[in-house]
Amino acid sequence: MGVDLESISEATSGAIGSLLSTTILYPLDTCKSKYQAEISVPGNHKYRNISDVFWEAISSGNVLSLYQGLGTKNVQSFVSSFIYFYSYSYFKRLHSERIGSKSIGTKANLLIAAASAAFTNILTQPLDTASSRMQTSEFGNAKGFWKTLTEGTWRDAYDGLGITLLLTPNPAIQYTVFDQLKQNLVEKRKAKAKKDSSPVVISAFMAFLLGAMSKTAATVITYPLIRCKVMIQAADDTKDNEAKKPRERIKKTIPGVIYAIWEKEGVLGFFKGLQAQILKTVLSSALLLMIKEKITATTWFLILAIRKTLFVTKGRLKSP
């Protein structure tokens, strides 16, 4: 069986892009997640807006706590992006070979993207759960990765898997829209250049715009589920806070968090933190895709160089 160098190139560049974008925007992600995880009750809420989370870290002298869980998040981000982009590129190539055309259509693209996302989520859910718990812990009280992951049962490590799978259309919509728009641009440029020998890449600015537009739409549509997911996976600091002010425990199931939001915050509660979510996810996804597009060609040539050095045979070479 040949080495699928094209899929490896796509997966590697996508994983590096995800790693860099996650690191750059991590403080914003921490503030957003802690704000989303709290149920706001009139007269009994800790954060009025997302900036309150940031100022809490500053005033308490725990600025570095804005990065709590970064290592775990980076591992999760890198691994999940590699698996996703590899499976997405691999399944798309298989489908293209089957139908005899590189243009596979929007419906097929959505199905392939959804299947790749679901496969990725099942494999990386424990990492996602651990990073979310570490990130939403009280500033300065975050536990280590292994302790966070093993403090409950293995079933607890898969908290939020059901709702994560329901959110599968989010990246599927995003990457499908991006891929289709990118494909149209590349085909137009190829037609003008009349050269097929070298890979055609879009500019960083164009990749940023395409990534931002595709992610905004997907985020708005699926946001209520995103908020529920954060609440399900959030760290349980009830015991630590009982001495200060007793709080009602929220049942961490999909029906449980939906009921809690509806009862305490009403319909608008399902969209609490939407602006911050859009800002973070749009910037993150746009940065990921921008970085990925700029390093894809470099990654491709490096893989070719490694192939020649290691005498890899039967590798099917295709321009990404």
Side-chain angles (χ1 to χ4, degrees):
M1 186 175 179
V3 178
D4 189 355
L5 299 182
E6 180 182 354
S7 295
I8 292 177
S9 175
E10 285 287 317
T12 302
S13 57
I16 293 173
S18 179
L19 183 68
L20 292 176
S21 65
T22 296
T23 302
I24 293 170
L25 298 172
Y26 195 75
L28 174 61
D29 190 36
T30 298
C31 293
K32 172 197 68 69
S33 297
K34 288 179 73 67
Y35 179 64
Q36 290 173 323
E38 184 193 37
I39 285 287
S40 298
V41 180
N44 183 26
H45 54 80
K46 190 175 183 180
Y47 308 119
R48 293 184 178 181
N49 50 60
I50 192 173
S51 63
D52 287 347
V53 185
F54 178 76
W55 288 116
E56 180 193 13
I58 299 295
S59 61
S60 63
N62 289 308
V63 179
L64 293 180
S65 292
L66 290 171
Y67 292 90
Q68 60 189 22
L70 175 60
T72 303
K73 191 72 172 183
N74 275 338
V75 172
Q76 185 263 334
S77 180
F78 186 90
V79 172
S80 62
S81 292
F82 186 92
I83 295 173
Y84 176 83
F85 280 109
Y86 182 88
S87 57
Y88 178 72
S89 178
Y90 181 74
F91 292 147
K92 188 170 69 171
R93 181 181 64 80
L94 289 180
H95 185 73
S96 296
E97 290 179 351
R98 182 178 179 182
I99 64 176
S101 173
K102 287 187 176 181
S103 180
I104 64 176
T106 303
K107 290 183 179 180
N109 228 334
L110 276 171
L111 289 175
I112 292 173
S116 300
F119 177 69
T120 301
N121 290 332
I122 292 173
L123 292 180
T124 62
Q125 186 63 31
L127 286 173
D128 185 40
T129 301
S131 64
S132 294
R133 288 176 183 168
M134 295 170 72
Q135 193 174 41
T136 54
S137 296
E138 290 290 327
F139 285 134
N141 293 328
K143 303 172 184 176
F145 165 70
W146 188 248
K147 187 174 182 180
T148 300
L149 188 64
T150 59
E151 63 182 356
T153 64
W154 276 106
R155 183 176 181 180
D156 293 332
Y158 281 88
D159 276 349
L161 177 59
I163 204 164
T164 298
L165 293 177
L166 290 177
L167 282 166
T168 295
N170 189 301
I173 293 171
Q174 176 200 354
Y175 292 122
T176 299
V177 172
F178 180 86
D179 199 55
Q180 292 297 313
L181 292 175
K182 173 192 166 185
Q183 184 177 320
N184 291 335
L185 286 176
V186 170
E187 288 178 354
K188 289 179 179 179
R189 292 187 179 183
K190 278 187 176 181
K192 290 182 179 180
K194 296 183 179 180
K195 293 180 181 180
D196 296 323
S197 57
S198 59
V200 177
V201 295
I202 60 178
S203 67
F205 180 70
M206 184 57 66
F208 186 91
L209 288 180
L210 296 182
M213 288 187 292
S214 60
K215 189 60 179 179
T216 298
T219 299
V220 173
I221 293 171
T222 60
Y223 186 74
L225 291 176
I226 293 174
R227 170 103 200 270
C228 291
K229 177 178 179 289
V230 172
M231 293 180 63
I232 289 174
Q233 293 183 319
D236 187 0
D237 292 319
T238 304
K239 293 181 180 179
D240 297 332
N241 291 324
E242 279 178 353
K244 302 176 183 178
K245 195 169 189 178
R247 292 186 182 180
E248 181 182 353
R249 295 178 66 97
I250 297 173
K251 191 174 182 180
K252 293 193 173 183
T253 61
I254 297 178
V257 296
I258 289 177
Y259 177 77
I261 294 173
W262 176 266
E263 182 184 35
K264 304 295 184 181
E265 300 178 338
V267 176
L268 294 180
F270 290 101
F271 294 92
K272 176 186 174 182
L274 175 60
Q275 299 91 334
Q277 181 74 31
I278 291 176
L279 177 62
K280 183 266 171 181
T281 54
V282 167
L283 288 177
S284 178
S285 299
L287 280 172
L288 185 158
L289 294 171
M290 179 182 72
I291 295 170
K292 175 180 176 293
E293 288 301 315
K294 297 311 294 181
I295 67 175
T296 292
T298 301
T299 303
W300 178 249
F301 289 124
L302 285 175
I303 288 177
L304 291 183
I306 294 173
R307 175 183 180 273
K308 291 180 180 179
T309 302
L310 299 177
F311 301 100
V312 177
T313 59
K314 299 180 182 180
R316 306 186 61 181
L317 298 182
K318 296 181 180 180
S319 295

